Amino acid sequence: VQLQASGGGLVQAGGSLRLSCAASGRTLSNYGMGWFRQAPGKEREFVAAISRSSGSTTYTDSVKGRFTISRDNAKNTVYLQMNSLKPEDTAVYYCAAARTNWPAVPGIRPVEYDYWGQGTLVTVSS
């Protein structure tokens, strides 16, 4: 499956962005999906994940209550709504797909994901 992330940009602290991850090649509903981010000089870190059915989600603590992951399997697209953005959210954001069983949420480790998008840059100014 090929993944294309978009929606990044420059936003002031407190603002919002919605990232999209469009899939092609295979049906997205076959995969659990996740968002990761990588800031300059830092390792890639988990942000959020969603099960194939949208029934379950997980978030890293630093984004809970501010970010929401969702998916539209009919559109083969996953979203990350980011509100109340902070300068420390500045990073390249990547979407990823993992082969998971139907009810399961993908894990938080990058090695658990099978396909990756190219990344979209989010810059939050103070």
Side-chain angles (χ1 to χ4, degrees):
V1 60
Q2 291 78 46
L3 302 175
Q4 180 76 35
S6 62
L10 174 63
V11 63
Q12 289 188 331
S16 298
L17 283 174
R18 187 175 82 156
L19 306 183
S20 298
C21 176
S24 60
R26 295 198 178 179
T27 302
L28 197 63
S29 60
N30 291 332
Y31 301 90
M33 297 297 296
W35 285 96
F36 289 75
R37 65 186 180 187
Q38 188 166 16
K42 295 188 176 181
E43 293 186 353
R44 191 168 300 189
E45 67 169 348
F46 170 79
V47 176
I50 188 167
S51 63
R52 290 167 60 186
S53 67
S54 301
S56 298
T57 57
T58 60
Y59 298 90
T60 192
D61 286 346
S62 62
V63 308
K64 284 181 181 177
R66 300 189 298 123
F67 290 12
T68 302
I69 187 172
S70 63
R71 65 190 298 161
D72 186 336
N73 286 338
K75 295 183 178 179
N76 251 16
T77 303
V78 176
Y79 305 98
L80 186 67
Q81 178 67 44
M82 306 186 295
N83 299 327
S84 302
L85 282 161
K86 304 176 181 180
E88 50 264 43
D89 295 318
T90 294
V92 176
Y93 283 71
Y94 299 89
C95 60
R99 298 186 188 95
T100 56
N101 294 325
W102 178 251
V105 181
I108 67 172
R109 300 179 302 157
V111 295
E112 299 180 64
Y113 291 76
D114 303 288
Y115 302 97
W116 291 83
Q118 86 291 357
T120 184
L121 176 62
V122 172
T123 304
V124 184
S125 63
S126 58

